[in-house]
Amino acid sequence: MGTKKGKKSSSLNEVGGYKVLPVEVSDTGVVHYLYFRQHSSNKEDILKPSDRTIFMTNLPADTTERDVRRLFQGVARIARVIFHGVVGQDVIKTAAADARMMSELA
């Protein structure tokens, strides 16, 4: 996902409860929009404390942990990156949920 840092903005647009983070893809110059919000769950999880965890969506399929760390470099300390929808999870169910969420954002 090679990203190019652009101008820093003091505030991000918000859509459907998500902050919108525009990221310029360095090898194409195309702007891709990532959406994030504070992570929340019905179950308390010590590995994902809600006061220190964000949920991101619309990441390109080839995004790596290194890409996420580079994206937040100098802005936030990243302790752990967890990708959902990987081997061992119901990818079709996850994709359907992502599609519903994106349609609500539109």
Side-chain angles (χ1 to χ4, degrees):
M1 174 178 92
T3 59
K4 182 177 177 183
K5 293 184 179 183
K7 293 180 189 175
K8 293 188 178 182
S9 175
S10 59
S11 65
L12 297 171
N13 290 332
E14 193 168 320
V15 175
Y18 287 82
K19 299 278 186 179
V20 181
L21 181 62
V23 177
E24 185 176 331
V25 181
S26 59
D27 54 338
T28 64
V30 172
V31 176
H32 186 84
Y33 296 92
L34 306 178
Y35 301 89
F36 69 95
R37 64 172 168 75
Q38 183 174 352
H39 172 76
S40 62
S41 176
N42 293 335
K43 296 185 290 184
E44 189 166 329
D45 186 342
I46 61 170
L47 296 177
K48 297 183 250 174
S50 62
D51 63 332
R52 295 181 37 218
T53 308
I54 63 170
F55 171 79
M56 294 182 71
T57 190
N58 203 36
L59 293 167
D62 62 347
T63 300
T64 65
E65 179 174 343
R66 183 177 179 198
D67 294 327
V68 174
R69 290 182 180 281
R70 206 173 333 166
L71 182 66
F72 289 98
Q73 186 176 12
V75 178
R77 186 179 72 79
I78 305 295
R80 180 178 299 110
V81 176
I82 301 169
F83 290 99
H84 292 278
V86 294
V87 175
Q89 293 194 351
D90 187 344
V91 176
I92 294 173
K93 192 182 281 186
T94 302
D98 287 349
R100 275 195 309 276
M101 181 178 58
M102 292 308 296
S103 69
E104 291 174 15
L105 293 174

